[in-house]
Amino acid sequence: MTNRWLPRPERTLPTPRKPIADVYDAAYSGVPNWDIGRPQQAFVHLQEAGRIESPVLDVGCGTGELALYLASHGHRVLGIDLASNAIRQAKLKARWRRIPAQFLVWDAVDLGRLAEAGLSVRTVVDSAMFHILGDTERGRFVHGLESVIEPGGLYCLLGDARRDPRDSYGITPRELRDRFADGWTVEFVYETIFERRYSANPAYLAGIRRPIDS
């Protein structure tokens, strides 16, 4: 695996949001409920269907199970997370399993700075990151996607279905179409589940394509 496609983070260091970074660092001092020790089945199905193309950026990668799974299937993968504890564990897993995935402490709402550092990918995978963001952060994230996904590339996200329309947590198919109305194509939105260690929630799996001519 060549690292020439990877950014040079030492040239543009991130500033993770606080106190949210501290909250997730504390969660990863143990084993959070959403860390099931394997990739979500929804993404396994996408990989088996041939919908994932390299290079891949895994946003909110946690301890790296999805990134490691994709890298073990031949993809070039960079996983980012604002929790340094999670990234430390992901790097250890990669080393012990001898899987060439790369990991970086980075805030996903700062994707534009990764693009400035040289990152360009065909696929962005998002296993339950977007669905926790607030309205302003979602806007920043979508804007950042435009800078790192190559024209024609795909954003694949899995998130809890929104239960209360007054709540910002979770996602809906309508919101995704509204958020990506400016030239993007929502190729699919499937009802599925998001697995946790002791439960499973109704969720959506979506694939959103960046326009080729953008």
Side-chain angles (χ1 to χ4, degrees):
M1 173 181 174
T2 176
N3 289 342
R4 287 179 298 173
W5 69 281
L6 292 174
R8 295 181 179 272
E10 67 274 11
R11 294 182 179 179
T12 174
L13 296 175
T15 304
R17 286 166 289 145
K18 291 183 174 289
I20 191 67
D22 293 335
V23 169
Y24 281 99
D25 261 333
Y28 283 109
S29 64
V31 182
N33 191 30
W34 61 83
D35 189 345
I36 61 174
R38 55 180 169 79
Q40 296 282 328
Q41 283 298 308
F43 285 105
V44 172
H45 295 157
L46 282 182
Q47 162 60 25
E48 292 174 344
R51 302 304 296 269
I52 308 295
E53 296 182 276
S54 290
V56 181
L57 175 65
D58 182 359
V59 293
C61 66
T63 63
E65 290 296 340
L66 175 56
L68 292 165
Y69 168 76
L70 294 176
S72 72
H73 283 75
H75 294 289
R76 292 176 291 165
V77 185
L78 172 65
I80 62 171
D81 201 290
L82 52 68
S84 58
N85 273 343
I87 293 299
R88 176 182 54 79
Q89 293 176 50
K91 289 180 176 180
L92 286 173
K93 287 180 181 180
R95 184 182 310 157
W96 284 106
R97 298 180 194 178
R98 298 183 179 181
I99 298 175
Q102 306 293 316
F103 296 98
L104 179 65
V105 177
W106 198 277
D107 192 336
V109 301
D110 274 336
L111 292 185
R113 294 177 64 198
L114 274 183
E116 292 171 3
L119 183 69
S120 178
V121 300
R122 286 295 300 170
T123 309
V124 172
V125 293
D126 176 347
S127 185
M129 192 282 300
F130 183 86
H131 77 174
I132 69 168
L133 297 179
D135 182 70
T136 299
E137 293 167 333
R138 292 185 187 204
R140 288 180 60 192
F141 175 72
V142 171
H143 180 72
L145 280 176
E146 297 174 355
S147 64
V148 296
I149 296 183
E150 298 173 359
L154 189 67
Y155 170 49
C156 303
L157 75 153
L158 174 68
D160 285 340
R162 182 173 297 154
R163 297 179 179 180
D164 186 342
R166 298 167 298 179
D167 192 359
S168 63
Y169 179 84
I171 58 175
T172 68
R174 178 174 180 177
E175 181 199 0
L176 295 178
R177 293 188 175 94
D178 289 344
R179 289 276 180 190
F180 292 90
D182 189 16
W184 294 70
T185 301
V186 179
E187 291 195 344
F188 58 84
V189 181
Y190 299 133
E191 292 183 357
T192 183
I193 60 171
F194 180 76
E195 303 170 89
R196 288 173 168 80
R197 295 178 70 83
Y198 309 110
S199 62
N201 282 15
Y204 292 107
L205 175 69
I208 305 167
R209 182 81 61 184
R210 184 185 172 193
I212 295 177
D213 59 355
S214 62

PDB file of all heavy atoms in Angstrom, residues 93-107:
ATOM      1  N   LYS A  93      -4.906  -2.039  16.771  1.00  0.00           N
ATOM      2  CA  LYS A  93      -5.563  -3.135  16.052  1.00  0.00           C
ATOM      3  C   LYS A  93      -4.904  -3.348  14.684  1.00  0.00           C
ATOM      4  O   LYS A  93      -4.659  -4.494  14.271  1.00  0.00           O
ATOM      5  CB  LYS A  93      -7.044  -2.823  15.857  1.00  0.00           C
ATOM      6  CG  LYS A  93      -7.900  -2.916  17.103  1.00  0.00           C
ATOM      7  CD  LYS A  93      -9.343  -2.580  16.751  1.00  0.00           C
ATOM      8  CE  LYS A  93     -10.255  -2.633  17.956  1.00  0.00           C
ATOM      9  NZ  LYS A  93     -11.657  -2.310  17.596  1.00  0.00           N
ATOM     10  N   ALA A  94      -4.661  -2.248  13.970  1.00  0.00           N
ATOM     11  CA  ALA A  94      -4.052  -2.357  12.646  1.00  0.00           C
ATOM     12  C   ALA A  94      -2.682  -3.015  12.729  1.00  0.00           C
ATOM     13  O   ALA A  94      -2.323  -3.853  11.886  1.00  0.00           O
ATOM     14  CB  ALA A  94      -3.948  -0.969  12.011  1.00  0.00           C
ATOM     15  N   ARG A  95      -1.920  -2.644  13.762  1.00  0.00           N
ATOM     16  CA  ARG A  95      -0.581  -3.210  13.918  1.00  0.00           C
ATOM     17  C   ARG A  95      -0.639  -4.700  14.230  1.00  0.00           C
ATOM     18  O   ARG A  95       0.051  -5.510  13.602  1.00  0.00           O
ATOM     19  CB  ARG A  95       0.158  -2.460  15.032  1.00  0.00           C
ATOM     20  CG  ARG A  95       1.609  -2.894  15.217  1.00  0.00           C
ATOM     21  CD  ARG A  95       2.228  -2.129  16.377  1.00  0.00           C
ATOM     22  NE  ARG A  95       2.006  -0.698  16.249  1.00  0.00           N
ATOM     23  CZ  ARG A  95       2.034   0.160  17.263  1.00  0.00           C
ATOM     24  NH1 ARG A  95       2.252  -0.286  18.500  1.00  0.00           N
ATOM     25  NH2 ARG A  95       1.849   1.437  17.054  1.00  0.00           N
ATOM     26  N   TRP A  96      -1.496  -5.076  15.185  1.00  0.00           N
ATOM     27  CA  TRP A  96      -1.547  -6.476  15.593  1.00  0.00           C
ATOM     28  C   TRP A  96      -2.175  -7.359  14.523  1.00  0.00           C
ATOM     29  O   TRP A  96      -1.798  -8.531  14.378  1.00  0.00           O
ATOM     30  CB  TRP A  96      -2.308  -6.613  16.908  1.00  0.00           C
ATOM     31  CG  TRP A  96      -1.493  -6.172  18.085  1.00  0.00           C
ATOM     32  CD1 TRP A  96      -1.646  -5.020  18.809  1.00  0.00           C
ATOM     33  CD2 TRP A  96      -0.375  -6.848  18.662  1.00  0.00           C
ATOM     34  NE1 TRP A  96      -0.709  -4.935  19.794  1.00  0.00           N
ATOM     35  CE2 TRP A  96       0.099  -6.046  19.735  1.00  0.00           C
ATOM     36  CE3 TRP A  96       0.279  -8.039  18.376  1.00  0.00           C
ATOM     37  CZ2 TRP A  96       1.188  -6.413  20.513  1.00  0.00           C
ATOM     38  CZ3 TRP A  96       1.375  -8.409  19.149  1.00  0.00           C
ATOM     39  CH2 TRP A  96       1.809  -7.594  20.212  1.00  0.00           C
ATOM     40  N   ARG A  97      -3.117  -6.827  13.769  1.00  0.00           N
ATOM     41  CA  ARG A  97      -3.744  -7.624  12.712  1.00  0.00           C
ATOM     42  C   ARG A  97      -2.972  -7.545  11.391  1.00  0.00           C
ATOM     43  O   ARG A  97      -3.327  -8.219  10.425  1.00  0.00           O
ATOM     44  CB  ARG A  97      -5.185  -7.156  12.494  1.00  0.00           C
ATOM     45  CG  ARG A  97      -6.078  -7.316  13.703  1.00  0.00           C
ATOM     46  CD  ARG A  97      -7.478  -6.826  13.412  1.00  0.00           C
ATOM     47  NE  ARG A  97      -8.274  -6.669  14.631  1.00  0.00           N
ATOM     48  CZ  ARG A  97      -9.532  -6.222  14.657  1.00  0.00           C
ATOM     49  NH1 ARG A  97     -10.138  -5.905  13.523  1.00  0.00           N
ATOM     50  NH2 ARG A  97     -10.162  -6.096  15.816  1.00  0.00           N
ATOM     51  N   ARG A  98      -1.969  -6.680  11.354  1.00  0.00           N
ATOM     52  CA  ARG A  98      -1.154  -6.479  10.161  1.00  0.00           C
ATOM     53  C   ARG A  98      -2.013  -6.078   8.975  1.00  0.00           C
ATOM     54  O   ARG A  98      -1.898  -6.606   7.858  1.00  0.00           O
ATOM     55  CB  ARG A  98      -0.334  -7.740   9.848  1.00  0.00           C
ATOM     56  CG  ARG A  98       0.646  -8.097  10.959  1.00  0.00           C
ATOM     57  CD  ARG A  98       1.491  -9.289  10.595  1.00  0.00           C
ATOM     58  NE  ARG A  98       2.434  -9.597  11.670  1.00  0.00           N
ATOM     59  CZ  ARG A  98       3.321 -10.586  11.634  1.00  0.00           C
ATOM     60  NH1 ARG A  98       3.371 -11.390  10.577  1.00  0.00           N
ATOM     61  NH2 ARG A  98       4.147 -10.792  12.651  1.00  0.00           N
ATOM     62  N   ILE A  99      -2.874  -5.107   9.215  1.00  0.00           N
ATOM     63  CA  ILE A  99      -3.743  -4.553   8.178  1.00  0.00           C
ATOM     64  C   ILE A  99      -3.305  -3.114   7.913  1.00  0.00           C
ATOM     65  O   ILE A  99      -3.209  -2.316   8.851  1.00  0.00           O
ATOM     66  CB  ILE A  99      -5.221  -4.594   8.615  1.00  0.00           C
ATOM     67  CG1 ILE A  99      -5.665  -6.040   8.832  1.00  0.00           C
ATOM     68  CG2 ILE A  99      -6.105  -3.923   7.568  1.00  0.00           C
ATOM     69  CD1 ILE A  99      -7.075  -6.167   9.379  1.00  0.00           C
ATOM     70  N   PRO A 100      -3.045  -2.739   6.672  1.00  0.00           N
ATOM     71  CA  PRO A 100      -2.464  -1.430   6.376  1.00  0.00           C
ATOM     72  C   PRO A 100      -3.468  -0.281   6.307  1.00  0.00           C
ATOM     73  O   PRO A 100      -3.420   0.543   5.389  1.00  0.00           O
ATOM     74  CB  PRO A 100      -1.799  -1.657   5.016  1.00  0.00           C
ATOM     75  CG  PRO A 100      -2.662  -2.666   4.347  1.00  0.00           C
ATOM     76  CD  PRO A 100      -3.118  -3.593   5.462  1.00  0.00           C
ATOM     77  N   ALA A 101      -4.373  -0.191   7.256  1.00  0.00           N
ATOM     78  CA  ALA A 101      -5.241   0.983   7.347  1.00  0.00           C
ATOM     79  C   ALA A 101      -4.482   2.097   8.066  1.00  0.00           C
ATOM     80  O   ALA A 101      -3.625   1.834   8.913  1.00  0.00           O
ATOM     81  CB  ALA A 101      -6.521   0.643   8.090  1.00  0.00           C
ATOM     82  N   GLN A 102      -4.820   3.339   7.739  1.00  0.00           N
ATOM     83  CA  GLN A 102      -4.192   4.501   8.365  1.00  0.00           C
ATOM     84  C   GLN A 102      -5.230   5.214   9.239  1.00  0.00           C
ATOM     85  O   GLN A 102      -6.424   5.230   8.907  1.00  0.00           O
ATOM     86  CB  GLN A 102      -3.673   5.468   7.298  1.00  0.00           C
ATOM     87  CG  GLN A 102      -2.742   4.823   6.285  1.00  0.00           C
ATOM     88  CD  GLN A 102      -1.440   4.383   6.914  1.00  0.00           C
ATOM     89  OE1 GLN A 102      -0.853   5.112   7.701  1.00  0.00           O
ATOM     90  NE2 GLN A 102      -0.992   3.192   6.558  1.00  0.00           N
ATOM     91  N   PHE A 103      -4.779   5.826  10.339  1.00  0.00           N
ATOM     92  CA  PHE A 103      -5.697   6.496  11.262  1.00  0.00           C
ATOM     93  C   PHE A 103      -5.117   7.824  11.711  1.00  0.00           C
ATOM     94  O   PHE A 103      -3.895   7.968  11.855  1.00  0.00           O
ATOM     95  CB  PHE A 103      -5.988   5.596  12.472  1.00  0.00           C
ATOM     96  CG  PHE A 103      -6.703   4.320  12.106  1.00  0.00           C
ATOM     97  CD1 PHE A 103      -5.989   3.135  11.937  1.00  0.00           C
ATOM     98  CD2 PHE A 103      -8.069   4.315  11.905  1.00  0.00           C
ATOM     99  CE1 PHE A 103      -6.632   1.965  11.579  1.00  0.00           C
ATOM    100  CE2 PHE A 103      -8.724   3.138  11.549  1.00  0.00           C
ATOM    101  CZ  PHE A 103      -8.007   1.969  11.388  1.00  0.00           C
ATOM    102  N   LEU A 104      -6.033   8.779  11.939  1.00  0.00           N
ATOM    103  CA  LEU A 104      -5.617  10.137  12.265  1.00  0.00           C
ATOM    104  C   LEU A 104      -6.642  10.779  13.197  1.00  0.00           C
ATOM    105  O   LEU A 104      -7.855  10.647  12.963  1.00  0.00           O
ATOM    106  CB  LEU A 104      -5.515  10.952  10.972  1.00  0.00           C
ATOM    107  CG  LEU A 104      -5.119  12.419  11.046  1.00  0.00           C
ATOM    108  CD1 LEU A 104      -3.682  12.563  11.553  1.00  0.00           C
ATOM    109  CD2 LEU A 104      -5.271  13.065   9.666  1.00  0.00           C
ATOM    110  N   VAL A 105      -6.165  11.450  14.250  1.00  0.00           N
ATOM    111  CA  VAL A 105      -7.061  12.243  15.097  1.00  0.00           C
ATOM    112  C   VAL A 105      -7.457  13.481  14.310  1.00  0.00           C
ATOM    113  O   VAL A 105      -6.604  14.331  13.994  1.00  0.00           O
ATOM    114  CB  VAL A 105      -6.379  12.642  16.423  1.00  0.00           C
ATOM    115  CG1 VAL A 105      -7.318  13.518  17.251  1.00  0.00           C
ATOM    116  CG2 VAL A 105      -5.963  11.408  17.219  1.00  0.00           C
ATOM    117  N   TRP A 106      -8.746  13.560  13.988  1.00  0.00           N
ATOM    118  CA  TRP A 106      -9.204  14.676  13.149  1.00  0.00           C
ATOM    119  C   TRP A 106     -10.716  14.837  13.328  1.00  0.00           C
ATOM    120  O   TRP A 106     -11.438  13.859  13.449  1.00  0.00           O
ATOM    121  CB  TRP A 106      -8.899  14.400  11.679  1.00  0.00           C
ATOM    122  CG  TRP A 106      -8.939  15.633  10.818  1.00  0.00           C
ATOM    123  CD1 TRP A 106     -10.027  16.223  10.254  1.00  0.00           C
ATOM    124  CD2 TRP A 106      -7.821  16.429  10.446  1.00  0.00           C
ATOM    125  NE1 TRP A 106      -9.670  17.326   9.549  1.00  0.00           N
ATOM    126  CE2 TRP A 106      -8.303  17.477   9.643  1.00  0.00           C
ATOM    127  CE3 TRP A 106      -6.444  16.355  10.706  1.00  0.00           C
ATOM    128  CZ2 TRP A 106      -7.473  18.457   9.103  1.00  0.00           C
ATOM    129  CZ3 TRP A 106      -5.624  17.323  10.155  1.00  0.00           C
ATOM    130  CH2 TRP A 106      -6.122  18.354   9.375  1.00  0.00           C
ATOM    131  N   ASP A 107     -11.169  16.068  13.306  1.00  0.00           N
ATOM    132  CA  ASP A 107     -12.583  16.380  13.422  1.00  0.00           C
ATOM    133  C   ASP A 107     -13.218  16.343  12.038  1.00  0.00           C
ATOM    134  O   ASP A 107     -12.792  17.058  11.133  1.00  0.00           O
ATOM    135  CB  ASP A 107     -12.742  17.774  14.049  1.00  0.00           C
ATOM    136  CG  ASP A 107     -14.161  18.072  14.482  1.00  0.00           C
ATOM    137  OD1 ASP A 107     -15.101  17.453  13.929  1.00  0.00           O
ATOM    138  OD2 ASP A 107     -14.338  18.920  15.371  1.00  0.00           O
TER     139      ASP A 107
END
